[in-house]
Amino acid sequence: MNRFEQLSVEAYSSILKTEENIAKQRSVGLYDGEERSPVFDRGILYLTPTNLIWIDEEDESLAIRLHLSTIILAEDQRAGSDQSSKISLHLNPPSENFSPVQVSEANHVKLSFREGGMTEFFRRLSDTLMRKRWETVVGVKPVGPPSRREMRTGISGIEKTLQAQQATVNIHISKAFEDLSNLMTMAKDTVNLTKNLVSRLKNKQGEITEDETTQLKSYLLSLGVDDPVTRDAYGNDNSYYRGLAIEVSSVMSKPLKEKGGLMTLTDVYVYVNRARGFELVSPEDLLRACRLMESLRLPTKLKVFDSGVVTLELSDLMDADVVKRTKEALDKSPLTPEMLSREFGISVVLAREMLLLAEARGAACRDESIEGLRFFPNKFVLSK
Amino acid sequence: MSTQDKFEMPWQYSFPPFFTLQPNLDTRKLQLDAWCALVLSYFRTHRLCVIDVNESQSSPLFSNTTLNRKLSPETISVILDELRKTGNLEWIDKNKRRAWVLWKSVDEWAKVLYRWAVDNGMLSTVCTFYELIHGQDTTEEEFHGMDQDLLLKALRCLEHQKRAEIISMDGNMGVKFF
């Protein structure tokens, strides 16, 4: 009991007014060590961020307080058959100029909760002890400041350190999950926002420049598919590939139209995975899914050129269309694959395939020299 | 010599793809047809009979310096082989380095030579090969400047038809038409 100090009515009412009242429990008796204290036998126990205050229920002028910094460890002790539940507090030694309410040898006290309420009080006490608010709270200071020395030795020291560590970890983890759940709720809103933007973009076409449109589109694209098809969502591989085929087909239809109807599968792979953002698709899965497209009668299908170059093209795209487009470009000037790729905004590999296709269909002929490979309109046929 | 200067290359000659063997077989067919026609008309105009594969690579026929394009030796072989198939070319050596370009077939040459003999009253007269190829009387004839071996080939054809007899005199060759 030698860590408690006497409080005047004015003192405790001031504390209870200024500090937050965390917990309050009636019918609490104090034990000095293992001995029941006859004086402080039945009172109201208050918990504030910095103090434990005990006020006698009969005589309000009898009040004592324990500064929380004195407490090394609080332990709960469940009620036995003939005992009320208790909290035992292990305490630091008192500082020298401290005038205790009572002299004692014991290094611990017990709070006996005669009318229950221990569990709740203990929870709040532990919580308060963990926060160590007295280190930051400026206000009512203990009259004789108790020893602030941290106990770093002995079992209690280790326990305290562990407790503190666990507390920090807990706080970090719960913060992390809070962020994640925020993100999840935000994701839906973000997707809705982009959908709005797209529809507004459609309505406003003409008012914004081509550049801005392209830029916005690329942002939207990077925001991705809101509901990617994943393997987990499907029971077996076949239905996974079917689902993927449908998704790829719907994602790629528009860019394909813009690019003249066909793209290399390499480009498609990049496109699809950028649209997904995460839950990325492997090249093999993409290829398998694309192989299914024709049998699923999707608007896109896989096409393998004679050279082995694999592309995705619109189903209604005919070779003749590709040849016609290529020939129209050739009629303006002879072209290398690089030049055609710039003209159409497609990859060089694909441009080359288009030229080779035109050549195979007799619409183009080649000029191979040290300057490289160029294609001309097939004048041999035209002059026949 | 005026005919040589006037020789006009066809439009294909200024079309760069003409100098690349086309992989599309239909296109290639048209390309090779054009080449065969060009080679024959070029040889006829220049009264040439023999083609040397190595030398021809740098000849203006197969090399367009304006376009900076020339045929590869492989493509030249393909063209010559095509000419052989149509009977317009005959290899002289087994290694296929030299060939007769027959803008007239051996048979046609024989007819031309026999008509000349008939028209010029040379029947039953002996003419040396030198007279036929380089003689002043034949400067206007198609066989003027003709390769001697090719001439021999054509005359053998006539000999076979019993219209001529080839005579060898002190290492000089001659022919007597009947």
Side-chain angles (χ1 to χ4, degrees):
Chain A
M1 290 302 294
N2 58 348
R3 276 74 157 182
F4 283 84
E5 65 177 331
Q6 189 96 39
L7 271 187
S8 64
V9 178
E10 293 79 32
Y12 73 72
S13 45
S14 140
I15 293 176
L16 290 176
K17 260 182 207 163
T18 51
E19 289 191 26
E20 185 193 351
N21 205 332
I22 299 168
K24 177 188 175 185
Q25 182 59 49
R26 299 180 63 84
S27 301
V28 178
L30 300 185
Y31 278 64
D32 180 16
E34 296 298 318
E35 273 177 58
R36 185 170 172 164
S37 159
V39 187
F40 311 106
D41 189 46
R42 185 172 282 271
I44 306 171
L45 190 63
Y46 289 93
L47 174 66
T48 76
T50 53
N51 287 293
L52 269 178
I53 296 168
W54 183 93
I55 303 164
D56 194 276
E57 276 175 28
E58 310 270 289
D59 177 11
E60 283 190 351
S61 61
L62 178 60
I64 52 171
R65 75 154 172 187
L66 177 69
H67 199 265
L68 292 184
S69 62
T70 342
I71 302 172
I72 300 168
L73 182 72
E75 281 177 321
D76 60 334
Q77 207 173 308
R78 304 259 162 209
S81 51
D82 56 346
Q83 281 185 319
S84 43
S85 53
K86 294 184 183 66
I87 296 176
S88 74
L89 304 171
H90 298 264
L91 305 172
N92 280 320
S95 48
E96 281 172 22
N97 57 354
F98 187 73
S99 47
V101 69
Q102 200 175 330
V103 181
S104 163
E105 287 301 306
N107 275 327
H108 72 280
V109 290
K110 283 184 177 177
L111 311 168
S112 175
F113 291 78
R114 308 249 156 76
E115 287 178 13
M118 186 278 287
T119 317
E120 178 63 16
F121 199 96
F122 179 73
R123 195 179 62 75
R124 298 200 176 181
L125 176 64
S126 308
D127 194 50
T128 311
L129 286 175
M130 210 160 65
R131 286 171 195 257
K132 296 192 176 177
R133 289 263 292 280
W134 59 90
E135 285 181 358
T136 49
V137 165
V138 188
V140 186
K141 283 190 176 173
V143 179
S147 164
R148 293 289 315 280
R149 191 163 52 87
E150 289 272 318
M151 280 289 280
R152 294 215 179 270
T153 50
I155 291 175
S156 59
I158 294 169
E159 278 179 333
K160 197 177 176 184
T161 323
L162 283 179
Q163 206 175 23
Q165 273 176 359
Q166 203 183 2
T168 359
V169 169
N170 274 338
I171 290 166
H172 281 314
I173 290 177
S174 49
K175 263 191 188 166
F177 277 106
E178 246 169 56
D179 287 352
L180 198 62
S181 55
N182 275 344
L183 185 68
M184 303 287 259
T185 41
M186 291 304 285
K188 202 79 193 167
D189 292 343
T190 316
V191 169
N192 286 336
L193 179 70
T194 54
K195 280 179 179 164
N196 265 334
L197 283 174
V198 172
S199 61
R200 274 170 62 183
L201 196 65
K202 277 181 186 160
N203 297 335
K204 275 202 168 180
Q205 245 165 17
E207 282 179 38
I208 17 185
T209 65
E210 188 76 359
D211 263 12
E212 285 171 337
T213 317
T214 330
Q215 204 177 4
L216 187 55
K217 269 186 195 167
S218 71
Y219 288 149
L220 294 183
L221 185 65
S222 52
L223 283 172
V225 179
D226 53 352
D227 183 25
V229 174
T230 56
R231 207 186 273 273
D232 304 343
Y234 285 88
N236 59 57
D237 278 2
N238 271 339
S239 54
Y240 165 68
Y241 290 129
R242 270 203 293 279
L244 189 59
I246 293 165
E247 179 190 301
V248 170
S249 193
S250 73
V251 168
M252 293 310 299
S253 287
K254 197 147 172 276
L256 274 174
K257 269 177 203 143
E258 285 166 7
K259 295 283 180 188
L262 70 171
M263 282 170 100
T264 59
L265 203 60
T266 327
D267 288 342
V268 173
Y269 173 74
V270 174
Y271 234 90
V272 167
N273 274 331
R274 185 181 287 176
R276 288 169 79 101
F278 42 93
E279 295 284 9
L280 302 183
V281 189
S282 76
E284 290 78 17
D285 284 357
L286 181 67
L287 182 63
R288 284 196 185 193
C290 289
R291 283 200 182 118
L292 291 176
M293 287 177 174
E294 212 166 348
S295 60
L296 294 172
R297 291 162 190 262
L298 292 173
T300 59
K301 69 172 199 290
L302 198 69
K303 178 184 168 70
V304 183
F305 281 92
D306 295 339
S307 62
V309 170
V310 184
T311 61
L312 190 70
E313 64 170 31
L314 293 174
S315 298
D316 54 3
L317 184 80
M318 295 290 152
D319 280 357
D321 300 333
V322 178
V323 172
K324 188 165 167 262
R325 246 163 61 86
T326 312
K327 193 177 165 300
E328 279 165 7
L330 282 177
D331 282 339
K332 282 181 245 162
S333 79
L335 295 171
T336 62
E338 289 76 19
M339 289 157 80
L340 186 70
S341 84
R342 275 199 296 275
E343 169 107 13
F344 285 176
I346 54 176
S347 66
V348 177
V349 178
L350 189 57
R352 197 184 147 85
E353 287 308 323
M354 289 173 74
L355 288 165
L356 291 176
L357 183 68
E359 183 187 51
R361 297 298 168 97
C365 58
R366 65 172 63 195
D367 165 35
E368 250 173 322
S369 69
I370 42 165
E371 293 156 31
L373 181 63
R374 274 198 306 167
F375 287 85
F376 285 71
N378 192 349
K379 282 201 197 169
F380 295 114
V381 173
L382 298 172
S383 68
K384 197 166 61 174
Chain B
M1 285 311 209
S2 57
T3 47
Q4 293 191 16
D5 297 333
K6 277 183 191 162
F7 183 77
E8 222 175 86
M9 287 294 187
W11 67 265
Q12 286 96 333
Y13 192 72
S14 357
F15 185 52
F18 195 42
F19 293 86
T20 301
L21 189 61
Q22 296 300 317
N24 179 321
L25 293 180
D26 296 332
T27 311
R28 182 188 290 199
K29 175 79 173 59
L30 296 167
Q31 181 194 21
L32 290 177
D33 287 352
W35 268 115
C36 290
L38 172 59
V39 171
L40 291 175
S41 73
Y42 184 88
F43 271 67
R44 179 188 289 122
T45 312
H46 294 84
R47 298 258 182 89
L48 297 170
C49 294
V50 177
I51 186 165
D52 183 294
V53 176
N54 289 330
E55 283 173 19
S56 69
Q57 284 178 40
S58 48
S59 93
L61 174 61
F62 293 147
S63 167
N64 183 338
T65 46
T66 320
L67 288 183
N68 195 19
R69 294 285 186 281
K70 61 178 193 179
L71 284 182
S72 67
E74 293 78 23
T75 313
I76 294 177
S77 306
V78 172
I79 293 168
L80 297 185
D81 200 46
E82 196 66 19
L83 283 165
R84 192 192 56 76
K85 282 184 200 160
T86 56
N88 293 106
L89 182 132
E90 208 166 292
W91 290 108
I92 297 171
D93 59 333
K94 281 185 181 171
N95 296 328
K96 298 192 174 181
R97 291 209 186 98
R98 284 157 56 84
W100 286 305
V101 176
L102 303 167
W103 35 279
K104 277 187 194 308
S105 67
V106 176
D107 229 29
E108 282 167 342
W109 277 122
K111 279 178 192 158
V112 169
L113 285 162
Y114 191 73
R115 172 157 306 134
W116 173 82
V118 172
D119 290 355
N120 291 276
M122 289 296 184
L123 295 182
S124 305
T125 315
V126 175
C127 307
T128 61
F129 280 18
Y130 186 85
E131 279 172 333
L132 288 172
I133 299 169
H134 303 293
Q136 294 194 340
D137 297 342
T138 62
T139 46
E140 292 304 307
E141 302 302 329
E142 282 176 316
F143 54 84
H144 188 81
M146 193 176 178
D147 178 67
Q148 186 171 320
D149 294 332
L150 183 58
L151 179 70
L152 181 65
K153 224 172 147 57
L155 292 176
R156 287 223 191 282
C157 197
L158 285 175
E159 201 176 40
H160 191 68
Q161 296 165 10
K162 307 282 187 210
R163 288 178 176 178
E165 189 186 348
I166 294 158
I167 303 154
S168 183
M169 309 166 293
D170 310 329
N172 286 322
M173 301 285 276
V175 64
K176 191 177 167 185
F177 295 98
F178 306 115

